[in-house]
Structures are given as structure tokens and as C-alpha cells.
Amino acid sequence: QKEVEQNSGPLSVPEGAIASLNCTYSDRVSQSFFWYRQYSGKSPELIMSIYSNGDKEDGRFTAQLNKASQYVSLLIRDSQPSDSATYLCAVTTGGSYIPTFGRGTSLIVHP
Amino acid sequence: GAVVSQHPSWVICKSGTSVKIECRSLDFQATTMFWYRQFPKQSLMLMATSNEGSKATYEQGVEKDKFLINHASLTLSTLTVTSAHPEDSSFYICSARGLSEHEQYFGPGTRLTVT
């Protein structure tokens, strides 16, 4: 059974700090990795995708993938109160491309 | 690009009635659409996956006769909740993926309340 694990949090960081969100997955043949942001009462919004080992940067967001250790992380630099949300990690394995979602990590950025 | 819409955004219905929710990909052709349900403060739960022109594949524990899914075109999928009951009250979210896409994009969701 494919599993995607995330610490539910909440992770609380001060404004301007770096928020680090982590995700581990069980299926070694996983190929595609995604981070979604979900504000309370809203649907998820895709913020990052990563497919190969290493770092991928997009603005204040950096996704890091380590397939050998089976983890993917999301760094948010210069965190803002507007970043406060639940961050969902999703992983797909080749073939069906049906993603498995983690339960999400709640991030709170306090002024 | 990659915009997915849902209609209605919220609906209140009486117990025993049926409700149809539409999911549209506005600027791309969605070969695969997914339907999720999310209860308050809980994680996303995949209900079913549908490919255009094919019958939907339902996840274990999801009643296919209660949650009717139709994916008749590359831009439209519908979910009909039949004979709704209060326990069906939830946030229903669709997502869509294009043929060459690895990423899926979510609609804004439909909040269903059954009284």
C-alpha cells in the first residue's frame, strides 16, 4: 500500500523565517512529486512539482527531492502570514498517475 | 492556464433528493478527472477517477450507484449524488489532468449540505 507521510503540525514560524515542510513516501518507484497549498475552506492549489533528485526553486519556494531516502521537502523563504495554510504532499507512480496525498501539514506564520 | 471550474460552489438540498455537480476544464482538455471528498479538518479522500468516454473507477468503499460520475467530453465531468442524506454533507472537489500532463489542477470545490 502506497503511503505518504507528513507531520500534521501545526508548524509555527515567525514572519520572515524559513518554513521547512517534510514528506516521506513508501513506494520506491514513485516518479512525480507535488506540493499543494490549501487554505481553510478552499480547494488545493498546486505550487510546486518536482521529478528528479535535487532542488527546484520557484520564487520563495524550493522543493527538494531525495529518492534514495524517499523524502521530498518544501522550503518557504521569507515566510509571510499569507503563507499560513495546510500544505499537501502528493506522490504519483508511473502508469496510472493517480496521486497519493499525505494528510497535510498545517503552517502558521505569525507576525 | 490550467483552470478548472466547478458549479455550483455550494448547494443545500433536502434528504432524499439528488444533486449534480459539474466540473469543467476551461483552457485544456482533461483526459482524466478525479473526484474527491473532504470532511472538515480531514484529508482529501479520492472517490473516483474517470477517463473521457470510459466508466469511472471507484475507490474501495465508494458506492458507484450513489455517486454517479459521467465524463462525456474532454472538458466536462459530472458527479451526481443520488438520494442524498445528511452524512453526504461534505466538500466535493474535482481535479483534472491533461493527456501530457503529470500535474493535476483542482476546481474550487462544491460545498454540499443535506438537510
Side-chain angles (χ1 to χ4, degrees):
Chain A
Q1 183 177 354
K2 304 171 190 174
E3 292 184 350
V4 177
E5 299 287 342
Q6 294 182 257
N7 189 318
S8 62
L11 172 66
S12 182
V13 300
E15 184 174 356
I18 296 175
S20 178
L21 304 161
N22 299 310
C23 171
T24 60
Y25 58 94
S26 63
D27 193 337
R28 283 195 167 276
V29 297
S30 297
Q31 294 183 340
S32 305
F33 307 85
F34 309 93
W35 283 100
Y36 289 84
R37 176 176 62 197
Q38 186 175 24
Y39 292 112
S40 180
K42 302 294 185 182
S43 67
E45 172 192 10
L46 179 66
I47 53 174
M48 289 286 286
S49 58
I50 187 167
Y51 306 104
S52 55
N53 278 328
D55 295 359
K56 179 181 178 182
E57 186 175 319
D58 184 0
R60 295 186 297 112
F61 299 100
T62 299
Q64 299 175 319
L65 175 61
N66 184 322
K67 290 188 177 182
S69 300
Q70 294 177 233
Y71 82 80
V72 56
S73 61
L74 179 70
L75 301 178
I76 306 174
R77 289 183 300 282
D78 188 24
S79 296
Q80 302 297 309
S82 58
D83 294 326
S84 299
T86 296
Y87 289 80
L88 303 171
C89 172
V91 175
T92 65
T93 304
S96 67
Y97 293 108
I98 298 175
T100 300
F101 280 85
R103 290 182 169 271
T105 297
S106 173
L107 172 66
I108 299 172
V109 181
H110 53 87
Chain B
V3 179
V4 178
S5 70
Q6 266 184 257
H7 178 81
S9 55
W10 60 271
V11 58
I12 301 173
C13 70
K14 292 186 181 296
S15 186
T17 62
S18 296
V19 173
K20 179 184 283 189
I21 302 170
E22 291 187 350
C23 176
R24 294 182 185 271
S25 57
L26 298 185
D27 53 1
F28 68 103
Q29 293 185 323
T31 52
T32 304
M33 286 187 170
F34 305 88
W35 285 96
Y36 294 85
R37 181 167 55 182
Q38 187 175 39
F39 293 105
K41 298 192 184 303
Q42 294 192 20
S43 59
L44 288 172
M45 188 192 84
L46 179 65
M47 299 176 67
T49 303
S50 73
N51 293 297
E52 185 264 338
S54 303
K55 289 185 177 180
T57 300
Y58 290 81
E59 295 298 300
Q60 192 173 8
V62 178
E63 301 173 59
K64 61 181 181 181
D65 294 330
K66 181 172 182 62
F67 299 100
L68 302 179
I69 292 172
N70 184 286
H71 190 167
S73 77
L74 285 172
T75 59
L76 174 64
S77 176
T78 60
L79 167 68
T80 302
V81 183
T82 63
S83 186
H85 291 285
E87 57 265 31
D88 298 324
S89 298
S90 188
F91 191 41
Y92 291 86
I93 314 171
C94 74
S95 70
R97 184 178 68 85
L99 178 61
S100 60
E101 299 292 329
H102 295 276
E103 301 161 350
Q104 60 171 339
Y105 299 90
F106 284 86
T110 297
R111 196 162 301 281
L112 170 64
T113 302
V114 184
T115 61

